[in-house]
Amino acid sequence: MAANSHSSLGEEASANKHEVALAVLVGLLVMLTISWYKRSNWSTGKGTPPLPPGPKGLPIVGYLPFLSPNLHHEFAKMANQYGPIFKLYLGSKLHIVVNSADLAKVVTGEQDESFANRDPHIAGLTASYGANDVAWQNNNANRRNLRKVLVHEVLSNKNFEASHAYRRSEVRNTIKYVHDMIGTAVDINEVSFSTVLNILTHIVWGKGFVEGAKYPDLAADIRKVVLAIVETAEGLNLSDFFPMLARFD
């Protein structure tokens, strides 16, 4: 009796496992079918919104497996095939690529209010303290105020004209420094960064960046911080393509 009982329990457990596996498989097939149906309707104009043409890609992962590191080359090829505006899915996220100067002018100029909101990736959110800057923040009152400050304090014609002599002097000093270093190794990235840092601080604060005895390597330290921020901000995580997998970032 005991042997028969254990045997029947084992068969029942095995049957339950098969039922669970079958249910999961059916669920995945249903999700893939719905996803394919929506994409198909959108691409043919039957759904909302109508989408431009683009490569099909694969279920779930989209066009991710086919992208090469040189995205600008990939997009140029796609533009030749699909036109100056096309779509592609990267994971579960839909992307619309604008690949012409005329369309870019429409998006960033004539229709700026419609396209101004951002969809920052996780690293961008981290580097900007939760999209609290001009680059990643949505188009709201705070971002508009930040843009006004940026334009008024840094990018205005008045500031550029006032700093013209200083900018020219800094560039000449940089050229002279590089010329005087003929025959020795020169880190052009570091030299150009220091030049730009001096110019920007002069425009914003009215004086160039001066390293004192207390912080003799401050420019190099700032460069390290900026490079670290850029490295963080350009990083990609799973949730950038599959939001449901954020826990694995």
Side-chain angles (χ1 to χ4, degrees):
M1 290 292 291
N4 290 336
S5 175
H6 286 304
S7 176
S8 61
L9 287 174
E11 292 175 357
E12 183 177 351
S14 178
N16 287 338
K17 289 181 180 179
H18 286 301
E19 290 177 1
V20 170
L22 182 61
V24 171
L25 179 61
V26 170
L28 287 174
L29 288 174
V30 170
M31 291 173 63
L32 289 175
T33 302
I34 293 174
S35 176
W36 175 85
Y37 179 76
K38 287 182 177 180
R39 294 187 187 186
S40 177
N41 278 349
W42 284 355
S43 61
T44 56
K46 296 178 182 178
T48 301
L51 296 176
K56 294 289 185 183
L58 298 174
I60 301 178
V61 295
Y63 201 73
L64 272 175
F66 307 109
L67 286 180
S68 71
N70 296 319
L71 287 181
H72 55 299
H73 291 166
E74 290 280 340
F75 289 162
K77 292 178 183 177
M78 292 183 196
N80 289 333
Q81 182 176 357
Y82 299 106
I85 178 170
F86 55 89
K87 74 174 188 301
L88 72 158
Y89 284 90
L90 301 180
S92 61
K93 286 193 174 183
L94 170 66
H95 296 260
I96 305 297
V97 180
V98 172
N99 201 52
S100 81
D102 291 338
L103 282 176
K105 183 179 179 181
V106 172
V107 170
T108 60
E110 299 172 16
Q111 300 293 329
D112 179 61
E113 288 294 322
S114 300
F115 292 96
N117 284 341
R118 307 297 193 259
D119 183 21
H121 61 316
I122 300 302
L125 283 172
T126 302
S128 60
Y129 296 93
N132 195 27
D133 66 350
V134 175
W136 294 113
Q137 192 167 178
N138 277 337
N139 187 31
N140 52 34
N142 186 51
R143 181 172 181 268
R144 287 191 287 271
N145 288 333
L146 288 177
R147 287 182 63 180
K148 288 178 182 177
V149 172
L150 176 64
V151 170
H152 183 267
E153 298 296 334
V154 180
L155 302 179
S156 68
N157 290 331
K158 179 181 178 181
N159 284 338
F160 277 123
E161 291 172 2
S163 64
H164 173 73
Y166 181 81
R167 287 186 285 119
R168 181 175 58 186
S169 174
E170 279 296 309
V171 171
R172 287 180 173 177
N173 288 339
T174 299
I175 295 173
K176 182 179 183 302
Y177 170 79
V178 174
H179 181 269
D180 292 342
M181 296 294 289
I182 288 177
T184 59
V186 175
D187 187 341
I188 292 297
N189 283 331
E190 185 173 346
V191 171
S192 58
F193 181 87
S194 296
T195 303
V196 172
L197 181 62
N198 284 337
I199 291 173
L200 286 178
T201 52
H202 178 84
I203 293 175
V204 176
W205 297 329
K207 60 181 179 179
F209 184 83
V210 179
E211 292 182 318
K214 188 176 181 180
Y215 302 105
D217 300 318
L218 189 54
D221 292 340
I222 292 177
R223 180 169 176 257
K224 289 179 182 178
V225 172
V226 171
L227 291 177
I229 292 173
V230 172
E231 185 178 353
T232 300
E234 69 182 7
L236 296 174
N237 289 273
L238 274 173
S239 62
D240 294 323
F241 306 105
F242 308 98
M244 294 176 60
L245 302 180
R247 70 183 70 178
F248 300 108
D249 281 347

